[in-house]
Amino acid sequence: MSAVEVGQEAVELSVVIPCLNEAETIGICLDKINRVFAEHGIRGEAVVGDNGSTDGSIEIAREKGARVINVTQKGYGNALRGGIAAARAPYIIMGDADDSYDFLEIPKFLKQLRAGHQFVYGCRLPTGGGTVMPGAMPWSHRHIGNPLFSLLARLWFHAPIHDVYCGMRGFRKDAYEELNQQCTGMEFATEMVIKSSLFRRDIVEVPITLHPDGRKSRKPHLRTMRDGWRTLRFFLLYSPRWLFLLPGLVLGLVGFVIALLGGFKASIGNAVLGVHSLTAGLLMAYIGLQTVFFGVIAKTFATNESLSPADALLKRLQKFVTLEKGILLSVAAILGGVALFAIVLALWWQSGFGPLDYAQTLRLVVPGTFLIATGWQTLFFAFTVSLLSIRRR
């Protein structure tokens, strides 16, 4: 990738820093960036995405030669988005303004970008070769939160990383723009990891060192429980398979097995399964099926909005389960339920509309109710998926 011409100078690298009242440390960060540019002969620029600083950060940044981009929309993600949009170079490296990331390590990232990688993620944790200096990261973040979410990122999204929260990273600007990121807050960095992995971009990880926060006058922006929940919520929303499909399938299959055992009065040890097991099992099966339907709807929406790529399972499902097949299946289920109710009505008529044998009739009424409810739900599920699948410009 070639550098971009800016006047008479070709800029190869833009270093983007989000900023909100970072007067204590932003000058230190920019000094390191300028030093790297000079010592390694890098044609680069520093871009500060300022989110409304009032402590002199803007003036310091300009004195150090940085371009300051005023970003009125609040949020960590917005500050970065504004800075990245204004960046002039094809290669971008981002990092925080608190001096916890050592910008003298920029050459590590640039080397990988020059080698052709699209996304270069830093790793501070020893599992990925990184180093955490004493006092740089809370114990719970280092040994519980970050490793756990990094593991989930590898399992759920096949992200080849060990430090999902690392805020120092490099990427090609064109590759970043293809992701069409939407998050405006702290989830911005997590969204980048997930989407670059889902869309199978060329990713590599480099070890870096995390230093203690250089700010003394105020606490870091991160809040352990709040940001941990926000990350888990974001992971779940971006993974319909783990949020909907797998739990729904497991619940549905278990419920169906219990319903069969109850319907046939099976015994397990001294326990005899009857109509109560049949009812509970079909309820579980119904909830499981409904959860799977929500998963298919969520995946279809995410694919259409380019939040995630379509997978092979969804494509096969869309070809097999058409609107017409869904209508026929739902009508068959509803008619089957009505037929079971008709049998119960006939039994009631034969008894002269007197009391019924509940142990016998509930084995018909409960499945009949299940079939009618499932058929009705399947009908509108088929229409909803068909509506979401309409091709749009």
Side-chain angles (χ1 to χ4, degrees), residues 27 90 95 101 122 152 199 245 283 294 296 338 361 373 382:
Y101 296 115
L152 290 180
F199 285 96
L245 295 179
L283 175 62
F294 275 122
V296 175
V338 170
T361 56

Side-chain angles (χ1 to χ4, degrees), residues 201-232:
R201 297 301 184 252
D202 189 335
I203 299 170
V204 68
E205 191 175 52
V206 297
I208 64 171
T209 299
L210 180 70
H211 299 267
D213 189 332
R215 298 169 298 190
K216 306 300 180 184
S217 62
R218 60 186 177 87
K219 297 180 179 179
H221 297 295
L222 288 175
R223 298 293 181 269
T224 299
M225 297 303 296
R226 180 200 65 182
D227 293 320
W229 161 243
R230 287 170 65 176
T231 301
L232 178 59

Side-chain angles (χ1 to χ4, degrees), residues 112-133:
Q112 298 297 334
L113 291 171
R114 286 171 173 169
H117 298 291
Q118 294 174 304
F119 291 86
V120 185
Y121 293 110
C123 180
R124 305 161 296 177
L125 300 182
T127 52
T131 303
V132 179
M133 299 299 290

Side-chain angles (χ1 to χ4, degrees), residues 108-182:
K108 291 183 179 180
F109 293 84
L110 185 56
K111 177 182 178 181
Q112 298 297 334
L113 291 171
R114 286 171 173 169
H117 298 291
Q118 294 174 304
F119 291 86
V120 185
Y121 293 110
C123 180
R124 305 161 296 177
L125 300 182
T127 52
T131 303
V132 179
M133 299 299 290
M137 185 184 294
W139 185 91
S140 59
H141 294 193
R142 179 177 178 178
H143 297 286
I144 301 177
N146 203 335
L148 173 61
F149 285 120
S150 298
L151 175 62
L152 290 180
R154 293 195 297 274
L155 291 177
W156 290 8
F157 309 108
H158 306 290
I161 53 93
H162 296 83
D163 186 1
V164 71
Y165 281 123
C166 185
M168 190 174 186
R169 55 188 61 176
F171 46 87
R172 288 172 35 166
K173 188 173 182 180
D174 59 352
Y176 158 81
E177 290 173 341
E178 289 174 356
L179 294 184
N180 189 27
Q181 292 201 213
Q182 303 296 318

Side-chain angles (χ1 to χ4, degrees), residues 6 37 44 213 217 257 323 366 374 388:
V6 183
F37 288 167
D213 189 332
S217 62
V257 170
L323 174 61
V366 172
T374 299
L388 289 175

